[in-house]
Amino acid sequence: MSTASNAFVTQVNGRTAITDDLAPLAFAGFAHFTAMQVRGGRVRGLDLHLQRLRTASLALFGRATSDDQLRTYLRKALKAGPADVSLTATIYSRAGEFTSTDTKGELDVLVRTGPAASGPNGPLALAAFEHERMLPAIKHVGEIAKTYYMREAAKEGFDDAAFVDRSGRLSEASIWNLALWDGEAVVWPEAAMLTGTTMSIVQRQLHAMGVPQRVEEVSLTNLPQLRGAVVMNSWTPAVPVSRIGSVKLPEAPEFPDLLRRAYEAESLVEI
């Protein structure tokens, strides 16, 4: 669907979506997706987005749409709008959910574009809630807990929510990955979580830059030993975090600057 005023689209399998396409998705929760920021018709980490879609499709459906076909759908959606957009690609089966068997037919690909986004400036205060996502390695839809905890955090005067697992380890935030700083190295939380595409971009570019990184368990108890924190997602590689739960974190302007440099070192590529 598109209008002359916004030129954004909603397409299924490369054609404009109609009501019959969208109705099965209205109450569906058995699907997965990836989200990206497109600038000048190009995107960072395209290989990571395609890998995410392929891996999740194999896990949920036992089959996957080819990378070439996915790129065809993405290019068609981008041709209909401005050069800078937010794009989401969702993959699902028309068998839907609450069925014990699948049709084994071709998977459907829903592509939506919207206004380009860059995320909040921060710093953000994150409330800490005990929560573990189902199938955390998959970026799937229907996650009611994320919105629930975001709103609970707002009621408590926080900007957003961070999650702690049953062992007391910080894992991720509502729609964000967490990254921490000890003054010399980037610290990634050790816990079950979604590995974001922006996170993976930053990790490989930090490696290329020779910046030390490590993965370790981080709890609210040892969090005060660290010297900074940010959240990141497809909008941005670094939004400063000033507090997680009751733990206040020092300002570390060099940390988000480092992550932005790493992110910007990743080439934008044509879809």
Side-chain angles (χ1 to χ4, degrees), residues 95-122:
E97 57 185 348
F98 309 127
T99 56
S100 58
T101 58
D102 198 351
T103 59
K104 300 300 181 183
E106 292 296 317
L107 298 173
D108 289 306
V109 182
L110 171 71
V111 180
R112 294 179 296 141
T113 60
S118 58
N121 293 323

Side-chain angles (χ1 to χ4, degrees), residues 113-189:
T113 60
S118 58
N121 293 323
L124 303 180
L126 307 180
F129 296 99
E130 183 176 323
H131 174 62
E132 298 179 18
R133 294 174 53 246
M134 176 67 179
L135 298 175
I138 295 176
K139 191 175 180 69
H140 50 81
V141 305
E143 294 198 82
I144 186 174
K146 288 185 176 182
T147 301
Y148 175 79
Y149 285 122
M150 289 172 70
R151 294 181 179 181
E152 289 299 298
K155 291 177 185 177
E156 297 179 13
F158 291 85
D159 300 302
D160 209 326
F163 299 143
V164 178
D165 68 14
R166 69 191 74 185
S167 299
R169 302 179 301 178
L170 281 165
S171 57
E172 55 193 340
S174 62
I175 56 173
W176 314 90
N177 282 118
L178 284 167
L180 303 119
W181 178 240
D182 71 359
E184 296 181 357
V186 179
V187 180
W188 303 99

